[in-house]
Each structure stands twice: as C-alpha cells, then as structure tokens.
Amino acid sequence: MGPGCAGVLGWLLLVQAALQAAGGRPCDARDFGHGSLVCACSATYCDTLDPLVLPAPGTYIKYESSKAGKRLERSQGSFQHNTKTPGIEYNLVRVPMASTDFSIRLYTYADAEGDFELKHFNLTEEDTRMKIPILQAAQKVAKRPLSLYASPWTSPVWMKTNGAMTGRGTLKGSPGDKYHQTWAKYFIRFLDEYAKYNLTFWAVTAGNEPTAGEIVFYPFQCLGFSPEHQRDFIARDLGPALANSSHRDVQLIILDDQRVMLPYWAQVVLKDPVAASYISGIGIHWYLDFLAPIDLTLSITHHLFPDYFLLSTEASTGSYFWEPRVVLGGWDRGSKYSHSILTNLNNYVTGWTDWNLALDLEGGPNWSKNYVDSPIIVDSSKDIFYKQPMFYHLGHFSKFIPEGSQRVGLTVSKKCRRCDLEHSAFLRPDGAVPRTLARSLALGFIEATAPSDSIQTFLWKQPA
C-alpha cells in the first residue's frame, strides 16, 4: 500500500466519520460501461445508509442491491398469514507483518544480518505513518471493536535458505534451532510494537500461503513450509513463544492458503497433540476453489476437527492472468463475492476477508505489478473514490450479520431450478433475524421476488 493510496484511505475514513450525522444519502451513480454502476464519493458527498432500526413486530425490512443500480436500497413490508451506524461495519481486518506484493518496496522489520536477538527490530514508516493511523481512525468510528489478525509474507532474507524474499525458500535449519526461535520471536516483537499504539490483535496466522515458498521463481514475497514443517515449528517454537508472552490470548491460525490443501494439511498439523494445543483455527484462500469442491474440503475438515474455526483469510477478483484488473461497475465480481461468502458460511466458515480495502485505478500500488480489483477504487487525480458492486455485496453480510450471530436452518418451500438461488439465515445476538430470502415461520411468510442479478437481505425481530 503506497503512501498516496494510504493517505486517501485515511481521508476516506474521516469522510465517512464526518458524514455520520447526515443520515442516509443515495448513491451518486456513475456508469463506466461495464454492465453496472459505481457510487462516486468525494470530500463533500458520499452515499450512506440510514441508521439501522429494527422494524416493529409483524413487519420486516429488506435491503436490496442489483445489477440494475440498487445499492442496499431499503424497503419495508408486513408478514402475510398462511442505533446510528453509517457504513457497512467491517470488523475483521488482516494486517500484513511488514511488506507484501501490495507494498511499494521489499522490506522486513529485522533486515540486519545475523540479528538473532532482534536488537535492530523496528517498525517502518509504512506502519507508523500509514497502517497504524488508519487502524486507529477505524477503531474510533467502529460500532464494535475491530478484530485484527496479522500475517507475515516472508522472514528476513538472512534467515532463508535461498537468501531472497522471493522464489523458492524456507527457514534455514530445523524447528527448535536459533533460526526458528528467532522467527517465532519476530511475531512477538511485532505484537509488542503495535501494542504500544493501543492496537491489540485477535489472531495471527503462521504465514501467508506457505506453499508459495515451494515454487521456483515465485514472483513476490513468500516463505515455504510443508504441513509437517509448520506443525513442528508451531509445536517447538511459535506456540510456546505466544504462550509464554503477554500475547498468550492471541489465536493462532494455520494454513492461510488455498482450501485445496484441506483436509490433508489440517490432518498433518492437528493430529499432533502438542501443535494442536496452540492452534485455534484454519485459514483459507479462494484462488483455487475451482479445483476444490467445498463439501470435500471445508465440510470434511469441519467434521474431522469441529473445535477449530474455519476463516476465509484472502480473496480478490481480477487476479487471474486472463482477466482485466480493475472493472469499474463490474456486477459479476460482486456476485462472485456473495457466492463465495454464502457457500463458505453454509459450510462452517465463520468469517470472510477481502485482500484490499482500497486500490488505485490500476489495481495497485503493487511493486511486482500483481494488480487486482478492489471494492473501493481511488482516483486520486480527481480526489474521488468509487464504491464498486463488490462493496455493496460485502455490505449485505458485514452490515447485518454481526459477530456472535449463529447460522440457523432455512427451508425453501419451492425450489427454482433455473434461477440458481443461493441463501442463508442467521440469528443475531440482538434477536433479529437477517436472511437472504424468506422462509415460513410462526409469524407467517414473506412474499418476495428476487430479480435476476440481485442480492437481498431481510431482517426482522423474533417474537418474544
């Protein structure tokens, strides 16, 4: 994330905060000829939602977004018989530990050769001038505390077998030695330094995409681990380091890679009782989902290891080489998001994380030119940002399904075999029920039509 983009992100957060008191505002629609619309935001105007107020018993409210141009459009209805919170309430934030491909340079926090004591460990200006202020600003306007989790892409090069941040390489030595112990200590130092800025973490992953570091000529930062290597590193180094630190309550997530690796990766790591005792969850990415049927990966893994949560830790569109990178107003990309979220939630996944909060018109900054699309696209030359259909698809979940919600059964009385209808239902902690489509219940039923290329959220109170 480059300085220019980060500056606009901070401005974006402040603009949204400044508009809190203004109530709901409609989308300033712009059509770039890609089949749907974006909503333009500037320093003086941005669309927002009305404060969320649950409807009276016997009525429901519906929020709908569509390819035709609706963006979280609210309507209200009644069952037939037979608080102020603007924004879409993101609350799960993945924070890179040092650089990624979406940095403008390659760096770690301990680049001094042979610094096993990490005496020269330091955060960089990317942290102190960009990431940390943005996270602090987000915390101030968030309705609920943010759940931060951290992921490293690579260790310092002097710890690696190939002496480079990119390409095929893993940690030197073996678990339990000074290289692995220092790498575990690196996690603790990162958590220590962010805590000085009143930023505490809910979780860390053992490393971003460990299989990438097994690929010759891999083009950006990586650190290779096999499941056996990750298991032993956690059992002998990372697990004890966390347990014996002031961050002992931080959750540890394994894999953080493609779900095609499941259930094998989980079986190797979690069947070791020592490693398993330090682990809380399993992270998955979506890029090879077409090779990994969900019932043969996520569902099996859940049933084998029901005490460990599943979390989607990365997704982005425009990442395949044959795709255009940024498509302003691309409705299909929003549909890919909601399809992934629905199928994941319906198969025991507890949360879903997008790769980038915002990118520029090119799909960067990105030092390796690995450009992708994003829910928010910033045009800094015009002092404007565009809220893509992806943003509103995400909002149908993040706004209405808060942490602590429980998925419940949903029965569809009549299936549409040609319309490919997807759905899920949840019971919120406040007793409200958000559902993507209607079901019969004691109150009655909702008679509704779901237009093609649309997503709907229904919300109502359960009877006392």
Side-chain angles (χ1 to χ4, degrees):
M1 182 165 59
C5 190
V8 175
L9 283 179
W11 169 80
L12 181 157
L13 289 167
L14 294 173
V15 167
Q16 294 283 40
L19 293 175
Q20 283 189 21
R25 295 184 176 188
C27 167
D28 179 10
R30 306 286 177 89
D31 189 345
F32 287 85
H34 296 297
S36 193
L37 308 171
V38 298
C39 299
C41 296
S42 67
T44 57
Y45 186 89
C46 193
D47 58 291
T48 59
L49 293 177
D50 287 315
L52 180 59
V53 178
L54 296 180
T59 66
Y60 65 87
I61 51 176
K62 178 181 77 173
Y63 291 85
E64 180 177 346
S65 301
S66 69
K67 185 177 182 180
K70 292 182 178 180
R71 296 294 181 265
L72 288 168
E73 184 173 301
R74 184 185 189 277
S75 61
Q76 186 163 336
S78 301
F79 286 95
Q80 301 179 35
H81 293 283
N82 182 8
T83 349
K84 292 188 179 181
T85 310
I88 58 174
E89 299 185 46
Y90 286 173
N91 73 319
L92 185 63
V93 183
R94 187 178 185 220
V95 182
M97 291 169 58
S99 67
T100 76
D101 49 314
F102 281 92
S103 302
I104 59 172
R105 65 186 182 99
L106 289 84
Y107 66 92
T108 74
Y109 299 130
D111 289 329
E113 182 77 23
D115 185 15
F116 290 103
E117 298 300 319
L118 299 182
K119 292 180 180 179
H120 302 287
F121 184 103
N122 280 301
L123 299 181
T124 67
E125 66 175 1
E126 284 87 350
D127 297 279
T128 57
R129 294 181 58 191
M130 291 177 267
K131 295 179 189 176
I132 288 172
I134 289 169
L135 291 171
Q136 290 173 332
Q139 280 189 332
K140 288 180 180 178
V141 299
K143 179 181 178 182
R144 292 180 291 272
L146 300 179
S147 294
L148 308 181
Y149 69 103
S151 299
W153 265 243
T154 182
S155 70
V157 298
W158 56 269
M159 295 186 189
K160 295 184 65 175
T161 55
N162 65 336
M165 292 195 192
T166 64
R168 185 177 184 180
T170 186
L171 286 178
K172 295 177 180 177
S174 58
D177 71 4
K178 62 181 181 180
Y179 289 99
H180 288 72
Q181 289 176 1
T182 302
W183 182 228
K185 190 186 303 180
Y186 184 102
F187 283 72
I188 306 305
R189 286 296 306 276
F190 170 82
L191 297 172
D192 286 344
E193 294 302 314
Y194 265 67
K196 294 176 182 178
Y197 294 90
N198 197 32
L199 292 171
T200 56
F201 282 76
W202 161 70
V204 296
T205 78
N208 175 71
E209 295 188 352
T211 61
E214 304 290 345
I215 300 172
V216 178
F217 305 126
Y218 195 74
F220 44 87
Q221 297 96 312
C222 58
L223 182 63
F225 277 86
S226 67
E228 294 81 5
H229 190 180
Q230 187 174 89
R231 174 196 65 202
D232 296 342
F233 169 59
I234 290 171
R236 301 191 64 179
D237 303 291
L238 183 56
L242 286 167
N244 294 320
S245 75
S246 60
H247 311 289
R248 61 185 62 88
D249 293 328
V250 172
Q251 312 277 296
L252 178 57
I253 300 170
I254 62 169
L255 190 56
D256 197 15
D257 208 333
Q258 316 307 323
R259 80 181 189 203
V260 72
M261 302 302 299
L262 294 175
Y264 174 71
W265 195 286
Q267 289 174 308
V268 170
V269 178
L270 295 177
K271 285 189 175 180
D272 178 89
V274 177
S277 68
Y278 297 116
I279 295 164
S280 299
I282 304 164
I284 54 170
H285 295 190
W286 85 337
Y287 302 104
L288 297 179
D289 281 4
F290 57 88
L291 298 176
I294 201 163
D295 56 329
L296 299 180
T297 52
L298 301 187
S299 291
I300 287 178
T301 301
H302 168 76
H303 290 296
L304 287 172
F305 304 103
D307 295 331
Y308 299 85
F309 63 79
L310 292 164
L311 180 69
S312 180
T313 51
E314 186 180 310
S316 62
T317 58
S319 61
Y320 301 121
F321 70 87
W322 61 84
E323 294 182 301
R325 297 311 181 213
V326 174
V327 179
L328 289 174
W331 181 261
D332 289 348
R333 293 188 167 182
S335 295
K336 288 180 181 178
Y337 271 33
S338 54
H339 167 73
S340 176
I341 296 170
L342 279 168
T343 54
N344 274 266
L345 291 175
N346 287 337
N347 285 274
Y348 309 103
V349 173
T350 58
W352 197 94
T353 319
D354 189 14
W355 194 167
N356 291 287
L357 174 66
L359 294 173
D360 63 22
L361 289 167
E362 193 173 27
N366 188 296
W367 75 265
S368 66
K369 302 188 186 307
N370 183 36
Y371 303 126
V372 299
D373 212 339
S374 176
I376 292 177
I377 296 296
V378 177
D379 185 349
S380 56
S381 68
K382 296 179 180 178
D383 201 28
I384 198 170
F385 61 91
Y386 301 113
K387 294 158 75 172
Q388 296 260 58
M390 288 178 282
F391 177 88
Y392 294 93
H393 276 262
L394 283 168
H396 278 270
F397 301 92
S398 61
K399 180 71 176 179
F400 305 112
I401 308 176
E403 183 177 354
S405 297
Q406 182 176 358
R407 184 166 62 91
V408 295
L410 176 62
T411 301
V412 177
S413 59
K414 185 178 181 181
K415 293 186 178 180
C416 174
R417 301 194 179 279
R418 294 191 301 169
C419 58
D420 197 23
L421 191 65
E422 297 178 299
H423 46 76
S424 195
F426 296 84
L427 181 64
R428 291 164 44 116
D430 60 7
V433 185
R435 284 171 166 82
T436 56
L437 283 171
R439 77 177 181 95
S440 299
L441 75 171
L443 288 173
F445 66 92
I446 297 171
E447 184 175 328
T449 300
S452 62
D453 294 311
S454 69
I455 178 170
Q456 299 175 340
T457 298
F458 294 85
L459 186 70
W460 66 86
K461 282 185 176 180
Q462 288 280 71

